[in-house]
Each structure stands twice: as C-alpha cells, then as structure tokens.
C-alpha cells in the first residue's frame, strides 16, 4: 500500500519532508500541498512532487479524499488548528515540533484525540530516531550502568541568526532535550531551575546566553543541560548518563581522527541539519509504516503536551530565578 500524504507548509523543513515522502522513502507519495503563500506551494509541487494538487486552504487539503494522512510543517502558531482539523476528519497527522505553542493548546489536542478514540497524532521529535540516542537508551535499559542518577548534557550551536531572540533557547533549542531525555530514561520531570553565568560577548542584542537548565525527575534523577547557542566552535550535542555502576555517553558523530603538523584533531560539525539528517529519514519511514498499519509508534500528542508544560516551567524559571514545579495533568490511560 502507498500512503498518500498531504503536506501543509512548504517552507524549509516542509520541502525536505516532501522530498523524503515523495521518492526518497518507501511506501508514500505526496498527493497534495498547501502553504499560506500559494505560489510557494505551487513551486514546491512542481519541483518536488509533480502532479500533486495545490490547495487554497489547509482545510481543503485535509478534506481532500485522496489524502490518507497529513504532515504539518507550517509555522508553530498554526499547528493547533491543522492538527485539530485532521483529528476531526479522522486522518493521521504528523506535526513538526512544537505540537502547539502553548500547553493549553496541546491539552486541547490531547482531549480531541481521546474524544475521537483513536491514536492519530505524532510529533516531530526526531532525536528519538538518532542511532546514538537509541544505542544509549539500549545501554541504560540493559541495566549495564545501574539506575540513572544524574545526566550531564550540552546543547551548543556555533551562532544563531538575528531573529533568534527571547526564550528561543528553551522553546526552540532545549525543547529537543526536554523530549529526548525523558524518553531516554523513561521518567517525567517535576521541577525546573535556570542558572545564568556571565553572558558571552558573542550573544547578539539582548539575548541571554549561555545558561544552565536543571531538571529534577519523579524518580529523583537530576539533569543539568548547558544551553549555549553562540559557542563559536561547532554544533555540539553532549549527553552523559551517570548511573549507580558506571557512566554511558552519547556517541560522537563519526569523523576521521587527524594527526598532522604536531597536532591530533577531529572535525566538529557546524550545521545542526547534518548532525541529525539521518534521523529525519528513519523518523518518517517509521511513521509511514506505522500509519499504514493504523498505529502511532513515535512521540504522541501526550509527549507534545508534556514538552510544552516543561518548556513553560523552564521559561518561568529563567525569568524568575526560582525553582518552578512542573505540573501536568495526570497521564490519561489512553496514552499509557
Ligand atoms: P519556514 O521555513 O518558515 O516554513 C514554514 C512554512 O509554513 C512557510 O512556508 C510559511 O509561509 C508556511 N505557513 C505559515 N503559516 C501557514 C498557514 N497558516 N498555512 C499554511 N502554511 C503556513 O519554517 P521551518 O523551518 O520549515 O519550520 C516549520 C516548522 O518545523 C516549525 O514548527 C519548526 O519548529 C519545525 N522544525 C522542526 C525541526 C526539527 O528538527 N524537528 C527543524 C526545523 C523546523 P510564510 O513563509 O509565508 O510564513
């Protein structure tokens, strides 16, 4: 069976996902596209999925009977509307992160999906598909290092563009750790704190950079993550899990060790897209197969909701300097 997909939002990641779903991956093709800029949608259709319908509205795409499943890659504030409309039409929907821009909006999606009585929503947290994180999770689950006690993590970008402002270090950057770390240790967060060192001279405008986010989990694990988005030297993702019997770390991306001119060195990636490029392929291939089988096997609407609640608490902790409790609604049996 070929899954016929409609894509809403033909910007940067929308175009990349169209290319994956229409030719690169097995079992799907893109039959419809929509963008708020109709010319951009038409150009994407011509270039990436010739013959796909170009719909004037996202709702028309969702209603199109030739569309089996929907992919939402428009900007964050539009996600809630399109995910709710897909649920209302009973169509599976893959939504790029964030599921929605507020925890309340994510909660509405969770409630709509439960009312519909079928798992339909998957959120684009692609780090769960990175082979390194998957190996690390297997190691933890095997019991090789005993129960996890602490995690030391870092999310470093070389630089950020001028439009990266305010709390984007949490809502756009740290959000990936929020999801992948609770999946990694199968635990939930109960509190957040943010500690700020002196500001780097490389931070643009009024951006606060770097800072340390401390999360405590229900089981008592303490997680520290350095968020440093103008570190200059590379896109550098670190994660070390300290357990009762040993430590386990996220593998470095493969690179050639060099010895020359009296120096030993390895290259560090500068571009985040390259670091997780393969994860997007695995993520969407698994989504195609699960969707064709009528299942959701990836991050759920509940995961999107929990990430939003945690992100809100981190933003509050960053502005107040206080330890902020993370209070989510009780996890419904539907998502167990
Ligand atoms: P982008 O290049 O700005 O693309 C967003 C596209 O959606 C633009 O073409 C935009 O049109 C269009 N759009 C906005 N509102 C719309 C609406 N109401 N209906 C239909 N189309 C609409 O942004 P992007 O970088 O591709 O990011 C898109 C989403 O993917 C974001 O939520 C982002 O956080 C997420 N993302 C996730 C990852 C990941 O690693 N998982 C990586 C990158 C992006 P205009 O340009 O005319 O506004």
């Amino acid at each position: 069976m070929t899954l016929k997909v409609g894509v809403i939002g033909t910007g940067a990641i929308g175009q990349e996902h169209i290319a994956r779903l229409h030719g690169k991956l097995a079992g799907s093709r893109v039959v419809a596209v929509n963008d708020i800029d109709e010319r951009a949608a038409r150009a994407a259709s011509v270039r990436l999925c010739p013959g796909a319908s170009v719909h004037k509205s996202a709702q028309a795409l969702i209603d199109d009977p030739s569309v089996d499943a929907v992919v939402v890659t428009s900007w964050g504030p539009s996600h809630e509307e399109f995910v709710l409309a897909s649920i209302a039409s009973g169509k599976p929907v893959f939504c790029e992160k964030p599921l929605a821009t507020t925890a309340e909006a994510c909660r509405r999606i969770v409630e709509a999906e439960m009312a519909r009585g079928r798992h339909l929503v998957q959120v684009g947290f692609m780090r769960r598909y990175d082979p390194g994180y998957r190996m690390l999770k297997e190691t933890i689950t095997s019991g090789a290092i005993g129960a996890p006690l602490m995690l030391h993590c870092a999310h470093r970008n070389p630089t950020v563009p001028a439009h990266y402002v305010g709390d984007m270090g949490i809502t756009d950057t740290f959000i990936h750790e929020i999801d992948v770390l609770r999946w990694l240790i199968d635990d939930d967060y109960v509190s957040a704190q943010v500690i700020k060192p002196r500001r780097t001279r490389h931070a643009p405008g009024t951006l606060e950079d770097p800072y340390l986010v401390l999360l405590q989990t229900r089981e008592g694990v303490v997680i520290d993550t350095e968020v440093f988005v103008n570190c200059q030297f590379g896109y550098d993702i670190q994660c070390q899990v300290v357990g009762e019997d040993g430590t386990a770390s996220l593998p470095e991306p493969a690179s050639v060790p060099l010895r020359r001119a009296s120096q030993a060195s390895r290259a560090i990636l500068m571009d985040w897209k390259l670091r997780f490029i393969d994860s997007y392929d695995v993520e969407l291939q698994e989504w195609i197969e699960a969707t064709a089988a009528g299942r959701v096997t990836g991050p759920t609407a509940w995961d999107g909701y929990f990430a939003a609640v945690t992100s809100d608490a981190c933003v509050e902790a960053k502005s107040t300097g206080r330890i902020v409790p993370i209070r989510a609604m009780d996890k419904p049996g539907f998502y167990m």
Side-chain angles (χ1 to χ4, degrees):
M1 174 197 160
T2 299
L3 187 72
K4 291 184 263 105
V5 180
V7 177
I8 302 171
T10 56
I13 196 125
Q15 292 179 39
E16 289 179 23
H17 284 351
I18 292 171
R20 291 188 174 95
L21 294 162
H22 197 83
K24 187 171 187 193
L25 303 177
S28 70
R29 67 194 169 91
V30 175
V31 297
V33 293
N34 158 260
D35 194 281
I36 199 158
D37 176 354
E38 198 181 328
R39 278 180 314 171
R42 201 163 294 286
S45 165
V46 168
R47 193 168 66 82
L48 299 167
C49 50
S53 314
V54 179
H55 286 289
K56 287 200 179 309
S57 72
Q59 187 64 54
L61 178 146
I62 294 165
D63 293 340
D64 181 342
S66 71
V67 170
D68 300 326
V70 178
V71 166
V72 177
T73 46
S74 50
W75 74 316
S78 62
H79 290 183
E80 179 190 9
E81 179 189 344
F82 303 150
V83 173
L84 286 176
S86 302
I87 294 170
S89 71
K91 293 192 180 177
V93 53
F94 175 95
C95 180
E96 259 309 336
K97 63 91 189 156
L99 175 58
T101 47
T102 66
E104 262 319 294
C106 292
R107 184 180 176 136
R108 286 192 285 273
I109 291 171
V110 162
E111 285 168 353
E113 190 180 39
M114 287 195 294
R116 185 83 203 186
R118 263 182 70 200
H119 288 274
L120 293 167
V121 181
Q122 179 165 327
V123 186
F125 285 125
M126 80 302 177
R127 284 212 197 163
R128 296 187 187 200
Y129 300 87
D130 173 66
Y133 275 111
R134 285 188 160 187
M135 281 191 277
L136 184 55
K137 184 169 174 65
E138 273 172 36
T139 303
I140 297 165
T141 310
S142 75
I145 59 164
L149 306 172
M150 293 175 284
L151 273 65
H152 306 302
C153 308
H155 188 142
R156 304 186 182 113
N157 292 57
T159 55
V160 286
H163 61 77
Y164 188 105
V165 292
D167 295 319
M168 288 175 77
I170 288 168
T171 59
D172 277 53
T173 298
F174 182 60
I175 192 83
H176 285 292
E177 270 78 17
I178 288 177
D179 180 70
V180 80
L181 300 180
R182 69 182 265 276
W183 166 81
L184 191 67
I185 58 172
D186 195 18
D187 201 351
D188 278 331
Y189 311 125
V190 294
S191 72
Q193 183 181 7
V194 174
I195 296 170
K196 300 172 198 170
R198 67 183 280 209
R199 187 170 169 266
T200 168
R201 74 180 196 283
H202 298 296
T206 56
L207 189 76
E208 292 172 298
D209 185 42
Y211 43 85
L212 205 57
V213 185
L214 294 177
L215 293 171
Q216 183 132 20
T217 75
R218 199 184 48 218
E219 298 295 330
V221 178
V222 172
I223 302 172
D224 62 81
T225 304
E226 171 197 317
V227 177
F228 187 12
V229 296
N230 290 281
C231 79
Q232 309 295 301
F233 67 82
Y235 181 68
D236 186 28
I237 302 299
Q238 300 289 331
C239 177
Q240 183 190 58
V241 184
V242 180
E244 292 167 309
D245 302 320
T247 73
S249 297
L250 182 68
E252 293 283 342
S255 68
V256 174
L258 276 184
R259 286 167 185 272
R260 61 186 289 276
S262 77
Q263 297 283 324
S265 66
R266 302 182 83 121
I268 300 178
L269 289 173
M270 292 297 279
D271 185 347
W272 61 267
K273 284 198 204 90
L274 296 177
R275 173 67 178 83
F276 291 109
I277 191 98
D278 298 336
S279 319
Y280 294 106
D281 288 350
V282 179
E283 173 188 46
L284 283 179
Q285 188 65 64
E286 291 190 13
W287 176 73
I288 293 165
E289 287 161 17
T291 303
R295 293 181 293 123
V296 174
T297 54
T300 63
W302 174 260
D303 296 316
Y305 163 76
F306 200 90
V309 172
T310 306
S311 168
D312 285 357
C314 292
V315 168
E316 187 184 335
K318 179 169 166 272
S319 74
T320 61
R322 289 202 291 268
I323 298 175
V324 176
I326 295 171
R327 293 201 185 95
M329 62 175 169
D330 290 340
K331 189 172 184 177
F334 185 78
Y335 292 104
M336 295 294 186

